[in-house]
Amino acid sequence: MNPPPPPFPAGRRELWAWCFYDFANSSFSTLIVTVAYSVYFVQVVAADVSPPGMAERLWFWGYALSMLVVALVSPVLGALADIRAIKRRVLIVSTLLCVFSTALLWFVHRGDVMLGLLIFGIANIGFDVGFVFCSAFLVELVPPQRMGRLSGYGWGFGYAGGLLSLALAYPFLAGGFADTNLASYRLSFVVTAVFFLSATLPTFLYLHERAQPRALPDGLTVWRAVMRQLRDTARRLSAYRDLRRYFIAYLLYSDAINTVIVASGIFANKVLDFTPGDLIIYFLVTQITAGLGSVGFGFVADRMGAVRSITVTLVLWIGVVIGAAAVQTHGQFYLLGLVAGAALGANQSVSRTLLGRFTPLGHQGEFFGFFSVAGKFAAILGPIVYGEVTAWTGSQRWAVLSMTLFFLVGLAVFVGVDERRGMAAAQE
């Protein structure tokens, strides 16, 4: 096996190129997953599906299934990328898959339920795989004491991308779901694809692959080597006590966070009667606090530790979901969104930082692949629970309140993580 690449030779241009991927892909997570397409699917594509609540159930089940695919392929792709040194190539291919599929959403019309779920699912798989492999570069770019800062810059820059993509999409979405505006509304999906592709070009051009292909043992094919590495990783995880505990906690709390994000646009539209224009303004506001939270907590994580920082964000999230279950007015929801945005940006930034600190050099793709497995399996149960509670009770208020349990159990597991011990294990 070849030694890992020399650490941290990245220059300023390459660091910005890495951050640009967060800037680019935020257009998809903001407009397709949260604000525009998810609401379009429930209100237009599946509008004629009965009984009440079935449209939401179909959306959340479709989203969960796409996350299942990502959870299954991420560790295999991660191990393969470590062996073949192809993180950058996988990043490019998965991004192009997402961009092309996002543009194809233009062809999804009223009643195209299965087509709409299939195209979205493919796009979402490409999006999440790309995110995993971009994140895996973090370990190579800066030393552990600077990871929080760089991750925070990336997330903060990402929310700036979300703001810009929302502003560009606003003219297409403002007319809502009137029949005369549906063509314009669908055009916003094409705008999202073009934005994603254009903004990710600096990443494609300037982010370098430093890893070297590893020599395969005699008689082993690449795929057998991948399977062996995955088996060895599973065994090694038993020695990484804090990383293993962090995986479990992340599985639980990211489940709730991801579900709240995916459901927020649908919740605002159906429970509080937000129009598509209202949603754009709402998410413009929350993107600002999310960006400030991600950058600010990046510095906080470097000073007071990632574990303490994540604990603070989880307490904030518990307050947010309880408040969302009781909110009655647009003004209250806007105020809640400010807090949720800050907690979201902070948690995302610091969670990636903590994994980077717990990851040994030479195993970035593999460990981040397992991190993706935790996150994507987490993204399966929460949406299903949300959709089923909505269908059973007829109320999304009970559905959002059900996320409190995930946060509480995740926090209870997470408080046992020792950051210094986990970093020491990675260095050994």
Side-chain angles (χ1 to χ4, degrees), residues 31-43 59 262 265-266:
L31 284 165
I32 304 302
V33 177
T34 307
V35 178
Y37 184 73
S38 59
V39 181
Y40 173 78
F41 180 86
V42 171
Q43 292 284 47
W59 170 255
V262 175
I266 299 172

Side-chain angles (χ1 to χ4, degrees), residues 345-369:
N347 185 276
Q348 289 176 324
S349 171
V350 184
S351 291
R352 182 166 61 181
T353 297
L354 187 58
L355 177 65
R357 291 177 177 176
F358 283 179
T359 299
L361 274 174
H363 296 279
Q364 299 95 306
E366 184 181 351
F367 273 51
F368 273 85

Side-chain angles (χ1 to χ4, degrees), residues 71-92:
L72 293 175
V73 304
S74 290
V76 176
L77 287 176
L80 178 63
D82 283 337
I83 292 171
R84 288 293 200 183
I86 56 170
K87 293 194 303 296
R88 181 174 175 274
R89 275 184 278 176
V90 175
L91 172 65
I92 292 174

Side-chain angles (χ1 to χ4, degrees), residues 273-355:
D273 295 322
F274 271 56
T275 67
D278 294 333
L279 286 174
I280 291 288
I281 296 172
Y282 172 78
F283 283 102
L284 282 170
V285 173
T286 58
Q287 291 283 315
I288 294 173
T289 59
L292 293 175
S294 61
V295 174
F297 266 78
F299 285 92
V300 171
D302 287 342
R303 296 181 67 87
M304 64 178 270
V307 169
R308 291 181 180 177
S309 301
I310 291 174
T311 301
V312 172
T313 68
L314 294 181
V315 173
L316 289 175
W317 268 113
I318 291 171
V320 166
V321 293
I322 293 175
V327 67
Q328 297 294 330
T329 68
H330 285 204
Q332 292 171 352
F333 197 67
Y334 273 105
L335 181 61
L336 202 62
L338 294 175
V339 179
L344 170 65
N347 185 276
Q348 289 176 324
S349 171
V350 184
S351 291
R352 182 166 61 181
T353 297
L354 187 58
L355 177 65

Side-chain angles (χ1 to χ4, degrees), residues 26 36 63 97 127 136 139 145 148 205 235 241-242 296 299 342 399 401 410:
S26 63
Y63 181 86
L97 176 65
F127 166 78
V139 180
Q145 62 270 24
L205 293 173
R235 291 176 177 173
R241 171 183 172 185
D242 294 285
F299 285 92
L401 189 62

